[in-house]
Amino acid sequence: MQLERVELREIQLPLKWPFETSFGRTTRRRILLVKVFDRSGAYGYGECTAAEGPFYNHETIDSAWLAVADFVCPLIARARVENASDVRETISPIRGNLMAKGAVETAVWDLEARLEGRPLWRHLGGTQAEIACGVSIGLQETTDALLENVRRELESGYQRIKIKIKPGRDLELVDAVRSKFPSIRLSVDANSAYSLEDLDLLKQLDEYDLMMIEQPLAPGDLIDHAKLQRELKIPLCLDESILSREDARHARELGSCKIVNIKLGRVGGHSEARLIQEYCAGEGVPVWCGGMLESGIGRAHNIAMSTLPGFVLPGDVSASERYWEEDIIAPPVTVSGSGTIRAPEGAGIGYEVNERRIESLTARRQEVLIQG
Ligand code: OSB
Ligand code: MG
């Protein structure tokens, strides 16, 4: 592989329904797509999962654009990267900016798999041709609307329901869903909206037979998560807190969680994701794939990652039609009646990228030369 140039594009894609978490509400996505070209003319696609504003983590699409163009690409150019597995180390001098790095790193993996003519998921070492899917349901206007959403997703076949909570909108939502659906696999995600001062409330969640509470406390609070986990029966799952295999090890050794959510962007790409799932598998810690309201390209990468052997719980990887009127890949991602997605057998991410549609959605574009 000889990298020649990298194309950055911002596309704008309205969500079918607004998505609300404890940190805010999204109605329209601004998505940075990265396309890397080999000198042979082959290419690979990656998606940056940074949001429009710095509320999930510190990155934004605009900070990521700058990081990719001014720092990630130049480092890759200087190193003359030849293998996807070398990208992680090559760009490691850049601190943070993991979603920016992940966009490029995953694109190079797609390129390499396409060059070898095989599915990315097999190229990564995936073993599960069919992955288990759940859904993440945002905060709704009313409890009835939430219950109706849960009912519809269960009817579609999804294997696990996760609902978003925040202070003031927690116990009554969980109580309503659990009362109406006594035996479903149910979890909650707080996106860091609580502190140890909420211990009494969080303890009450213990009574609802949840699969997990995801990220109740601040991203840096591994110690407080460990204190909280000692007070609860339900497993804690960490999302925002886990940026690397080292973070997973620290969380494990401290007892901060019993389950880990892995997101490609948050950890900087496929290589780090693979290291985390390997570590967790060795420790008997279940992992699952999180989502960031991705378009088809990021979604396809999530599917590939989810086929690795450590991914034993249903992820937040769901059908394109839950997000978009029309996706940018063909066919769109679909989910079976039993809540699974079959990993595609085509080369690379395995879905056709609709370049005409991408062109029509493009708000800005920049090309960075790697090697003339
Ligand atoms: O915490 O998992 C999260 C979306 C945006 C930011 C953070 C999160 C989420 C989701 C949605 O839960 C997952 C998805 O459906 O893509
Ligand atoms: Mg989360």
Side-chain angles (χ1 to χ4, degrees):
M1 172 198 314
Q2 284 187 298
L3 297 175
E4 185 188 63
R5 63 198 159 92
V6 176
E7 182 190 75
L8 293 75
R9 261 180 207 267
E10 175 182 338
I11 60 163
Q12 300 186 348
L13 209 52
L15 282 165
K16 264 167 114 170
W17 296 286
F19 189 82
E20 187 173 333
T21 67
S22 63
F23 59 79
R25 186 181 169 93
T26 309
T27 54
R28 195 184 61 141
R29 294 293 336 275
R30 293 175 55 210
I31 299 173
L32 165 55
L33 298 178
V34 168
K35 188 176 183 185
V36 298
F37 291 85
D38 178 66
R39 288 176 113 171
S40 70
Y43 56 83
Y45 270 107
E47 174 170 338
C48 178
T49 64
E52 297 70 28
F55 306 113
Y56 166 80
N57 68 1
H58 64 281
E59 292 186 84
T60 70
I61 168 170
D62 298 297
S63 74
W65 189 291
L66 186 89
V68 169
D70 289 4
F71 299 105
V72 178
C73 289
L75 275 187
I76 284 176
R78 206 176 316 149
R80 299 188 172 262
V81 165
E82 289 185 353
N83 300 294
S85 58
D86 295 337
V87 175
R88 173 181 171 273
E89 183 66 24
T90 299
I91 60 183
S92 65
I94 300 168
R95 294 200 194 274
N97 297 284
L98 292 165
M99 291 173 165
K101 293 195 229 177
V104 177
E105 201 257 11
T106 54
V108 177
W109 275 104
D110 179 34
L111 167 62
E112 186 171 274
R114 285 177 197 252
L115 284 169
E116 297 192 8
R118 57 178 180 149
L120 174 61
W121 67 274
R122 293 191 190 277
H123 188 51
L124 290 168
T127 53
Q128 315 183 67
E130 206 169 344
I131 64 164
C133 309
V135 287
S136 171
I137 302 180
L139 290 159
Q140 304 292 314
E141 300 281 332
T142 64
T143 304
D144 278 348
L146 174 63
L147 292 172
E148 174 53 21
N149 260 279
V150 172
R151 189 199 58 75
R152 184 156 29 88
E153 305 295 10
L154 290 169
E155 198 174 280
S156 300
Y158 288 104
Q159 299 182 12
R160 178 273 282 145
I161 301 288
K162 153 174 144 185
I163 65 171
K164 294 288 187 177
I165 57 168
K166 71 174 189 181
R169 304 194 56 197
D170 34 42
L171 281 177
E172 96 271 16
L173 299 183
V174 174
D175 190 68
V177 174
R178 187 44 99 202
S179 306
K180 185 127 188 209
F181 305 99
S183 59
I184 61 168
R185 294 217 267 177
L186 180 64
S187 71
V188 295
D189 186 358
N191 289 106
S192 299
Y194 295 87
S195 75
L196 276 187
E197 290 183 9
D198 302 305
L199 181 60
D200 288 343
L201 181 130
L202 293 165
K203 272 181 153 172
Q204 293 181 61
L205 289 173
D206 245 353
E207 304 309 314
Y208 291 95
D209 189 28
L210 301 175
M211 285 180 82
M212 66 195 87
I213 304 178
E214 183 176 342
Q215 197 71 41
L217 312 179
D221 284 353
L222 285 186
I223 291 177
D224 282 356
H225 275 107
K227 286 185 182 163
L228 177 59
Q229 181 69 87
R230 282 196 290 275
E231 300 285 333
L232 298 176
K233 291 177 288 190
I234 326 174
L236 294 181
C237 169
L238 291 176
D239 172 351
E240 283 90 329
S241 292
I242 307 296
L243 309 184
S244 63
R245 175 178 52 182
E246 281 304 273
D247 286 346
R249 183 175 65 76
H250 295 152
R252 173 72 178 155
E253 291 183 5
L254 285 167
S256 313
C257 68
K258 293 179 179 167
I259 298 174
V260 171
N261 162 327
I262 303 182
K263 290 180 180 171
L264 278 170
R266 198 194 66 224
V267 307
H270 283 297
S271 295
E272 194 71 37
R274 202 161 63 177
L275 290 170
I276 296 171
Q277 70 88 35
E278 255 168 34
Y279 170 78
C280 288
E283 294 290 315
V285 174
V287 310
W288 55 278
C289 176
M292 293 293 290
L293 311 176
E294 288 91 345
S295 79
I297 290 173
R299 200 163 296 279
H301 277 287
N302 286 344
I303 293 168
M305 175 177 82
S306 303
T307 67
L308 294 171
F311 286 77
V312 297
L313 294 176
D316 278 347
V317 188
S318 57
S320 300
E321 61 163 21
R322 293 189 62 249
Y323 306 84
W324 322 113
E325 289 296 344
E326 186 189 350
D327 206 335
I328 60 169
I329 55 165
V333 173
T334 54
V335 170
S336 74
S338 54
T340 61
I341 294 173
R342 182 156 280 284
E345 289 298 339
I349 58 174
Y351 294 84
E352 195 189 314
V353 175
N354 186 341
E355 304 208 333
R356 279 226 316 275
R357 177 152 170 77
I358 289 177
E359 184 64 36
S360 74
L361 297 168
T362 297
R364 62 175 157 155
R365 192 179 158 274
Q366 183 182 345
E367 198 156 277
V368 181
L369 204 63
I370 298 293
Q371 211 173 300

Coordinates of all heavy atoms in Angstrom, one line a residue, residues 109 120-132 262 264 269-278 281 287-289 301-313 343:
W109 N -7.7 1.0 7.1 CA -8.0 -0.5 7.2 C -9.0 -0.9 6.1 O -8.8 -2.0 5.5 CB -8.7 -0.7 8.6 CG -7.8 -1.0 9.7 CD1 -7.4 -0.1 10.7 CD2 -7.0 -2.2 9.9 NE1 -6.5 -0.7 11.5 CE2 -6.2 -2.0 11.1 CE3 -6.9 -3.4 9.3 CZ2 -5.4 -2.9 11.6 CZ3 -6.1 -4.4 9.8 CH2 -5.3 -4.2 10.9
L120 N -13.5 -6.5 5.3 CA -12.8 -5.9 6.4 C -12.9 -6.7 7.7 O -11.9 -6.9 8.5 CB -13.3 -4.4 6.7 CG -12.7 -3.7 7.9 CD1 -11.2 -3.6 7.8 CD2 -13.4 -2.4 8.1
W121 N -14.1 -7.2 8.0 CA -14.3 -7.9 9.2 C -13.4 -9.2 9.3 O -12.9 -9.5 10.4 CB -15.8 -8.2 9.5 CG -16.5 -9.2 8.6 CD1 -17.1 -8.9 7.4 CD2 -16.7 -10.6 8.8 NE1 -17.6 -10.0 6.9 CE2 -17.4 -11.1 7.7 CE3 -16.4 -11.5 9.9 CZ2 -17.8 -12.4 7.6 CZ3 -16.7 -12.8 9.8 CH2 -17.5 -13.3 8.7
R122 N -13.3 -9.9 8.2 CA -12.4 -11.0 8.2 C -10.9 -10.6 8.3 O -10.1 -11.2 9.0 CB -12.6 -11.8 6.9 CG -13.9 -12.5 6.9 CD -14.0 -13.5 5.7 NE -15.3 -14.0 5.5 CZ -15.9 -15.0 6.2 NH1 -15.2 -15.6 7.1 NH2 -17.1 -15.4 5.9
H123 N -10.6 -9.5 7.6 CA -9.2 -8.9 7.7 C -8.8 -8.5 9.1 O -7.7 -8.7 9.5 CB -9.2 -7.7 6.8 CG -7.8 -7.2 6.5 ND1 -6.7 -8.0 6.2 CD2 -7.3 -5.9 6.6 CE1 -5.7 -7.2 6.0 NE2 -6.0 -6.0 6.3
L124 N -9.8 -8.1 9.9 CA -9.5 -7.7 11.3 C -9.4 -8.9 12.2 O -9.0 -8.7 13.4 CB -10.6 -6.8 11.8 CG -10.7 -5.3 11.2 CD1 -12.1 -4.7 11.6 CD2 -9.6 -4.5 11.7
G125 N -9.8 -10.0 11.7 CA -9.8 -11.2 12.6 C -11.2 -11.5 13.2 O -11.3 -12.3 14.2
G126 N -12.2 -11.0 12.6 CA -13.6 -11.2 13.1 C -14.0 -12.7 12.9 O -13.5 -13.4 12.0
T127 N -14.8 -13.2 13.8 CA -15.2 -14.6 13.8 C -16.7 -14.7 13.8 O -17.2 -15.8 13.6 CB -14.7 -15.3 15.1 OG1 -15.1 -14.6 16.2 CG2 -13.2 -15.4 15.1
Q128 N -17.5 -13.6 14.1 CA -18.9 -13.8 14.2 C -19.6 -13.2 12.9 O -19.7 -11.9 12.8 CB -19.5 -13.0 15.4 CG -18.6 -13.3 16.7 CD -19.2 -12.6 17.9 OE1 -20.3 -13.0 18.4 NE2 -18.5 -11.6 18.4
A129 N -20.0 -14.0 12.0 CA -20.6 -13.5 10.8 C -21.9 -12.8 11.0 O -22.4 -12.0 10.1 CB -20.8 -14.6 9.8
E130 N -22.5 -13.0 12.1 CA -23.8 -12.4 12.4 C -23.7 -11.7 13.8 O -23.2 -12.4 14.8 CB -24.9 -13.4 12.5 CG -26.3 -12.9 12.2 CD -27.3 -14.0 11.9 OE1 -26.9 -15.2 11.7 OE2 -28.5 -13.7 12.0
I131 N -24.0 -10.5 13.9 CA -23.8 -9.8 15.2 C -25.2 -9.5 15.8 O -26.2 -9.3 15.2 CB -23.0 -8.5 15.0 CG1 -23.7 -7.5 14.1 CG2 -21.6 -8.8 14.4 CD1 -23.2 -6.1 14.2
A132 N -25.2 -9.4 17.2 CA -26.4 -9.1 17.9 C -26.6 -7.6 18.1 O -25.7 -6.9 18.4 CB -26.3 -9.8 19.3
I262 N -17.2 -0.3 23.6 CA -16.1 0.1 22.7 C -16.7 0.9 21.5 O -17.6 0.5 20.9 CB -15.3 -1.0 22.2 CG1 -14.7 -1.9 23.4 CG2 -14.1 -0.5 21.3 CD1 -13.8 -3.0 22.9
L264 N -15.3 3.0 18.0 CA -14.1 3.1 17.2 C -13.5 4.5 17.3 O -12.3 4.7 17.4 CB -14.4 2.8 15.7 CG -14.4 1.4 15.4 CD1 -15.0 1.2 14.0 CD2 -13.0 0.8 15.4
G269 N -9.7 4.1 16.6 CA -9.6 3.2 15.4 C -9.6 1.7 15.8 O -9.8 1.3 16.9
H270 N -9.5 0.9 14.7 CA -9.6 -0.5 14.8 C -8.5 -1.2 15.6 O -8.7 -2.2 16.3 CB -9.6 -1.2 13.4 CG -10.9 -1.0 12.7 ND1 -12.1 -1.6 13.2 CD2 -11.3 -0.4 11.5 CE1 -13.1 -1.3 12.3 NE2 -12.6 -0.6 11.3
S271 N -7.3 -0.7 15.5 CA -6.2 -1.3 16.2 C -6.4 -1.3 17.8 O -6.3 -2.3 18.5 CB -4.8 -0.7 15.9 OG -4.5 -0.9 14.5
E272 N -6.7 0.0 18.2 CA -6.9 0.1 19.7 C -8.2 -0.7 20.1 O -8.2 -1.3 21.2 CB -7.0 1.6 20.1 CG -6.9 1.8 21.6 CD -5.5 1.6 22.1 OE1 -4.5 1.9 21.4 OE2 -5.4 1.1 23.2
A273 N -9.2 -0.6 19.3 CA -10.5 -1.3 19.6 C -10.2 -2.8 19.8 O -10.6 -3.5 20.7 CB -11.5 -1.1 18.6
R274 N -9.3 -3.3 18.9 CA -9.0 -4.8 19.0 C -8.2 -5.1 20.2 O -8.4 -6.1 20.9 CB -8.2 -5.1 17.7 CG -8.2 -6.6 17.4 CD -7.8 -6.8 15.9 NE -6.5 -6.4 15.6 CZ -5.9 -6.5 14.4 NH1 -6.6 -7.1 13.4 NH2 -4.7 -6.1 14.2
L275 N -7.3 -4.2 20.6 CA -6.5 -4.4 21.8 C -7.4 -4.4 23.1 O -7.2 -5.2 24.0 CB -5.4 -3.3 22.0 CG -4.3 -3.3 21.0 CD1 -3.4 -2.1 21.1 CD2 -3.4 -4.6 21.2
I276 N -8.4 -3.5 23.1 CA -9.3 -3.4 24.2 C -10.1 -4.7 24.3 O -10.2 -5.3 25.4 CB -10.2 -2.2 24.1 CG1 -9.4 -0.9 24.2 CG2 -11.2 -2.2 25.3 CD1 -10.2 0.4 23.9
Q277 N -10.7 -5.1 23.2 CA -11.5 -6.3 23.3 C -10.7 -7.6 23.6 O -11.1 -8.4 24.3 CB -12.4 -6.5 22.0 CG -11.7 -6.9 20.7 CD -11.5 -8.4 20.6 OE1 -12.4 -9.1 21.0 NE2 -10.4 -8.8 20.0
E278 N -9.4 -7.6 23.2 CA -8.5 -8.7 23.5 C -8.3 -8.7 25.0 O -8.4 -9.8 25.7 CB -7.2 -8.5 22.8 CG -6.9 -9.4 21.7 CD -5.7 -9.0 20.9 OE1 -4.7 -8.4 21.5 OE2 -5.7 -9.1 19.6
A281 N -11.5 -9.7 26.8 CA -11.8 -11.1 26.7 C -10.9 -11.9 27.6 O -11.4 -12.9 28.3 CB -11.6 -11.6 25.2
V287 N -17.7 -7.1 26.3 CA -17.7 -5.8 25.6 C -18.8 -5.8 24.6 O -19.3 -6.8 24.1 CB -16.4 -5.4 24.9 CG1 -15.2 -5.6 25.9 CG2 -16.1 -6.2 23.7
W288 N -19.2 -4.6 24.2 CA -20.2 -4.4 23.1 C -19.8 -3.1 22.4 O -19.1 -2.3 22.9 CB -21.6 -4.4 23.6 CG -21.9 -3.4 24.7 CD1 -21.7 -3.6 26.1 CD2 -22.5 -2.2 24.6 NE1 -22.1 -2.5 26.8 CE2 -22.7 -1.6 25.9 CE3 -23.0 -1.4 23.5 CZ2 -23.2 -0.3 26.1 CZ3 -23.6 -0.2 23.7 CH2 -23.7 0.4 25.0
C289 N -20.4 -3.0 21.2 CA -20.1 -1.9 20.3 C -21.1 -0.8 20.5 O -22.3 -0.9 20.3 CB -20.1 -2.3 18.8 SG -19.8 -1.0 17.6
H301 N -18.2 0.2 9.6 CA -17.0 -0.1 10.4 C -17.4 -0.7 11.7 O -16.7 -1.6 12.3 CB -16.2 1.2 10.6 CG -15.3 1.5 9.4 ND1 -14.1 0.8 9.2 CD2 -15.4 2.4 8.5 CE1 -13.5 1.3 8.1 NE2 -14.2 2.3 7.7
N302 N -18.5 -0.2 12.3 CA -18.9 -0.8 13.6 C -19.3 -2.2 13.5 O -19.1 -3.0 14.4 CB -20.2 0.0 14.1 CG -19.8 1.4 14.6 OD1 -18.6 1.7 14.9 ND2 -20.8 2.3 14.8
I303 N -20.0 -2.6 12.4 CA -20.3 -4.0 12.1 C -19.1 -4.8 12.0 O -19.0 -5.9 12.7 CB -21.2 -4.1 10.8 CG1 -22.6 -3.4 11.0 CG2 -21.4 -5.5 10.4 CD1 -23.4 -3.2 9.8
A304 N -18.1 -4.3 11.3 CA -16.9 -5.1 11.2 C -16.2 -5.4 12.5 O -15.9 -6.5 12.9 CB -15.9 -4.4 10.2
M305 N -16.1 -4.3 13.3 CA -15.5 -4.4 14.6 C -16.3 -5.4 15.5 O -15.7 -6.2 16.3 CB -15.5 -3.1 15.3 CG -14.9 -3.1 16.7 SD -14.8 -1.5 17.5 CE -16.4 -1.2 18.0
S306 N -17.6 -5.4 15.4 CA -18.5 -6.2 16.3 C -18.3 -7.7 16.0 O -18.8 -8.5 16.8 CB -20.0 -5.8 16.1 OG -20.2 -4.4 16.4
T307 N -17.7 -8.1 14.9 CA -17.5 -9.5 14.6 C -16.3 -10.1 15.4 O -16.2 -11.3 15.4 CB -17.3 -9.7 13.1 OG1 -16.0 -9.2 12.7 CG2 -18.4 -9.1 12.3
L308 N -15.5 -9.2 16.1 CA -14.4 -9.8 16.8 C -14.9 -10.6 18.0 O -16.0 -10.4 18.5 CB -13.5 -8.6 17.3 CG -12.8 -7.8 16.2 CD1 -12.2 -6.5 16.8 CD2 -11.8 -8.6 15.5
P309 N -14.1 -11.6 18.4 CA -14.7 -12.6 19.4 C -15.1 -12.0 20.8 O -15.9 -12.6 21.4 CB -13.5 -13.6 19.5 CG -12.3 -13.0 18.9 CD -12.8 -11.9 17.9
G310 N -14.5 -10.9 21.2 CA -14.8 -10.4 22.5 C -16.2 -9.7 22.6 O -16.7 -9.5 23.7
F311 N -16.8 -9.4 21.4 CA -18.1 -8.7 21.4 C -19.2 -9.7 21.7 O -19.8 -10.3 20.8 CB -18.3 -8.0 20.1 CG -17.4 -6.7 20.0 CD1 -16.0 -6.8 19.7 CD2 -17.9 -5.5 20.3 CE1 -15.2 -5.7 19.7 CE2 -17.1 -4.3 20.2 CZ -15.8 -4.5 19.9
V312 N -19.5 -9.9 23.0 CA -20.5 -10.9 23.4 C -21.9 -10.4 23.8 O -22.8 -11.1 24.0 CB -19.9 -11.8 24.5 CG1 -18.7 -12.5 24.1 CG2 -19.6 -10.9 25.7
L313 N -22.0 -9.1 23.9 CA -23.3 -8.5 24.2 C -23.8 -7.7 23.0 O -23.1 -7.2 22.2 CB -23.2 -7.5 25.4 CG -22.8 -8.2 26.7 CD1 -22.6 -7.1 27.8 CD2 -23.8 -9.2 27.2
A343 N -22.7 -9.7 8.7 CA -21.6 -9.0 8.2 C -21.5 -9.3 6.7 O -21.6 -10.4 6.3 CB -20.3 -9.4 8.9

